[in-house]
Amino acid sequence: LKKLMSGLTDQTSLVGNTVTAQIMALLKNSPLYHMKVAVKTQEGTIYGRLDVKYDANSAGQGVNIIAASNAASGDAFVQIPQSITRAALKKKVEKTVQLKISKGEQSLPEGVDLNQIVEVAVSQQINTLLQQGYMRTNKENYIAKIKYENGNISLNRKKFPIIQMLMMSMSKK
């Protein structure tokens, strides 16, 4: 069993090293990726744009994932109609509230229906995102501008605590 496990570990390591080497070979020419997307729906059009650059010169020599991630930079823009955003959040919040009710963790107050609670929760979530600067709005759309540079992410020029968010999401599982 020990010999088998050792062989599997060696094979896994070999595969990982091979994949990493292939990725680094693709990145050696400092590629640039640009994408635009527009999705038309009955509620409006969702727009998106993504630009990603990789500077092989700043990554240094060899295979170093940290240096490689710091050599990447990118900008993204997303514009989503408010009605689509609210509908998506409403489904998520409704599912969460229904689950809490079924587990006995929450109950509906007398004379209040599920839709009222969901609408209040959705409005609170959206207002929080707007107040914190993670989302902006114009008359009909919610907008986010995302930037990745030197291993840091910002949303609408506000530093986004990606590590904290990942740690929080992992601790909830």
Side-chain angles (χ1 to χ4, degrees):
L1 181 63
K2 205 176 209 182
K3 188 175 181 180
L4 176 65
M5 292 305 289
S6 176
L8 288 175
T9 302
D10 291 344
Q11 287 179 344
T12 302
S13 180
L14 178 64
V15 169
N17 289 339
T18 302
V19 169
T20 302
Q22 288 175 345
I23 291 170
M24 297 309 288
L26 288 172
L27 297 176
K28 74 178 181 182
N29 295 321
S30 297
L32 170 64
Y33 179 75
H34 175 76
M35 181 177 79
K36 282 185 180 180
V37 85
V39 179
K40 294 185 180 195
T41 71
Q42 291 177 335
E43 292 85 19
T45 304
I46 300 169
Y47 293 99
R49 186 196 83 253
L50 174 66
D51 294 303
V52 179
K53 296 185 280 186
Y54 183 80
D55 182 4
N57 294 326
S58 70
Q61 297 295 316
V63 177
N64 181 333
I65 298 301
I66 302 294
S69 68
N70 287 336
S73 62
D75 293 294
F77 170 83
V78 179
Q79 177 178 297
I80 304 173
Q82 290 183 13
S83 59
I84 293 173
T85 305
R86 289 188 74 80
L89 270 176
K90 185 175 180 180
K91 283 182 184 179
K92 182 180 182 271
V93 169
E94 189 172 306
K95 204 174 195 179
T96 301
V97 171
Q98 286 175 335
L99 182 63
K100 286 182 176 184
I101 289 171
S102 71
K103 288 182 173 181
E105 297 171 5
Q106 185 175 345
S107 61
L108 292 176
E110 187 84 25
V112 177
D113 70 357
L114 179 63
N115 195 46
Q116 290 172 307
I117 289 175
V118 169
E119 286 297 329
V120 168
V122 166
S123 293
Q124 287 174 343
Q125 286 185 9
I126 288 173
N127 288 336
T128 298
L129 290 170
L130 290 168
Q131 289 169 358
Q132 292 176 347
Y134 291 122
M135 190 166 65
R136 294 184 182 171
T137 184
N138 63 20
K139 291 181 182 179
E140 299 160 0
N141 303 292
Y142 292 117
I143 300 164
K145 292 180 182 178
I146 305 152
K147 185 174 188 80
Y148 177 80
E149 192 169 47
N150 298 320
N152 298 307
I153 294 177
S154 63
L155 290 167
N156 298 320
R157 297 188 181 131
K158 182 176 173 68
K159 190 173 179 180
F160 186 72
I162 187 99
I163 300 299
Q164 291 172 341
M165 299 297 279
L166 288 172
M167 289 173 63
M168 285 174 38
S169 70
M170 289 182 353
S171 69
K172 290 181 181 178
K173 293 181 180 180

